[in-house]
Amino acid sequence: MDIQFDRHRRLRSSANMRAMLRENHIRVEDFIYPIFIVEGENTKNEVSSMPGVFQFSLDLLNKEVEEVVSLGIKSVILFGVPNQEDKDEVGTGAFHDHGIVQRATRQVKEAFPDLLVIADTCLCEYTDHGHCGIVEYGKILNDPSLELLAKTAVSQAKAGADIIAPSNMMDGFVTAIRQGLDEAGFEHIPIMSYAVKYASAFYGPFRDAAQSTPQFGDRKTYQMDPANREEALREAQSDLDEGADFIIVKPALSYLDIMRDVKNQFNVPIVAYNVSGEYAMIKAAAANGWVDEKAIVMEMLVSMKRAGADIILTYFAKDAARWLKDEQ
């Protein structure tokens, strides 16, 4: 047969051949694991829409973190869930020195000093209206919110947070937080900015976990339109100009094109946020026997690395760490 063609299959002929030529790899060091902390004692509440994800009270937190560390995961991000009666119109609990995240951070850093603790810096979990800034006459005010976000970041850094991760999407929030941290003597604390954060339907289960559903309207005036691509580059550029050290793209799975655009444009660490809705869909399908959970999760995670992610913030971190360990 005198036909000329390429023999690509030669390089796929065995497991070892495929492993040798694999372009992208998932490592346990790539993961950030999210943890939700609630007030109270002896509390471990499973989030109904996120099987395997729990809210922990402080007295049970160290046991959870111990498991995370034993799996080789190097980073966690803490989300606070205050009591409903402690919420107010300006989210005081977000920047109080004895807020739930501040207490959790001090506790975790004392017990696990080498673990990287990232603090989510926002107001929505702490405001009685559920929005990420100050509200006046039904409008979310940008500039007055910046001072509170800076206060929140400084209080989290004082508590021992290694990285500040502001997620509010107010204009100028990185500038305000960078200035606040520097003036407080925390020039060494990096900012992991939720620079590219879309107003996505994939956040629903998270709002169950963090009890942060807006009490009116939505967040479309400050989070990005899912239809927009070039806007992501403008948002990322602004945050880098203002002092961000990492760029988060959120969500991840439906925004892999955006992740690649950002990675191609900017030479900084890119974080993929594998969000709650993405987690919940796979868990539901696996529970029904419709998909192979391990296979589909690992394929999804490697797609994020292929799209340009250096780091993956994911609720699958513990599961994936176990699977990676089993393969060794």
Side-chain angles (χ1 to χ4, degrees), residues 207-220:
R207 292 172 182 171
D208 293 339
Q211 298 174 11
S212 61
T213 302
Q215 298 304 299
F216 68 90
D218 53 42
R219 294 175 178 152
K220 293 181 179 179

Side-chain angles (χ1 to χ4, degrees), residues 80-240:
V81 187
N83 292 326
Q84 188 63 39
E85 60 269 22
D86 294 330
K87 299 183 180 187
D88 59 32
E89 61 183 6
V90 297
T92 303
F95 50 84
H96 197 289
D97 285 342
H98 297 290
I100 186 68
V101 163
Q102 287 79 359
R103 283 181 284 145
T105 300
R106 285 191 289 267
Q107 179 177 313
V108 171
K109 290 301 294 184
E110 181 177 353
F112 307 94
D114 294 331
L115 183 70
L116 283 176
V117 174
I118 304 165
D120 179 74
T121 305
C122 200
L123 303 177
C124 59
E125 298 106 307
Y126 306 91
T127 56
D128 53 15
H129 47 71
H131 279 284
C132 304
I134 294 175
V135 173
E136 189 174 285
Y137 302 114
K139 292 186 177 181
I140 295 85
L141 304 184
N142 192 93
D143 294 10
S145 302
L146 299 180
E147 180 181 353
L148 300 185
L149 294 166
K151 287 177 64 176
T152 299
V154 170
S155 72
Q156 292 168 338
K158 285 181 179 178
D162 298 291
I163 299 172
I164 297 299
S167 59
N168 52 86
M169 288 293 286
M170 296 293 111
D171 290 337
F173 69 103
V174 176
T175 289
I177 288 171
R178 183 72 272 162
Q179 182 176 341
L181 290 171
D182 291 353
E183 290 177 353
F186 295 108
E187 301 93 341
H188 61 289
I189 299 294
I191 296 175
M192 181 181 284
S193 173
Y194 288 69
V196 182
K197 182 179 181 182
Y198 286 88
S200 172
F202 284 97
Y203 303 153
F206 174 90
R207 292 172 182 171
D208 293 339
Q211 298 174 11
S212 61
T213 302
Q215 298 304 299
F216 68 90
D218 53 42
R219 294 175 178 152
K220 293 181 179 179
T221 65
Y222 46 104
Q223 295 177 2
M224 293 171 53
D225 186 337
N228 291 355
R229 184 173 188 171
E230 294 180 0
E231 183 184 5
L233 299 180
R234 297 196 297 272
E235 286 280 1
Q237 183 69 70
S238 292
D239 284 18
L240 290 171

Side-chain angles (χ1 to χ4, degrees), residues 10 13 17 23 28 43 51 74 97 103 116 125 143-144 172 177-178 202 204 243-244 257 265 272 289 298 311:
R10 290 171 181 159
S13 59
M17 181 76 76
E23 298 175 24
V28 69
T43 300
K74 309 295 184 184
D97 285 342
R103 283 181 284 145
L116 283 176
E125 298 106 307
D143 294 10
I177 288 171
R178 183 72 272 162
F202 284 97
D257 60 322
Q265 187 76 17
M298 298 307 288
I311 303 161

Side-chain angles (χ1 to χ4, degrees), residues 46-51 204-206 208-209 276 279-281 283:
E46 187 169 29
V47 180
S48 60
S49 54
M50 299 177 70
F206 174 90
D208 293 339
S276 59
Y279 174 89
M281 288 191 301
K283 283 292 186 181

Side-chain angles (χ1 to χ4, degrees), residues 52-68:
V53 173
F54 297 84
Q55 300 169 329
F56 295 93
S57 54
L58 287 170
D59 56 318
L60 300 183
L61 176 60
N62 281 19
K63 184 176 181 181
E64 172 70 0
V65 177
E66 184 177 0
E67 180 185 16
V68 169

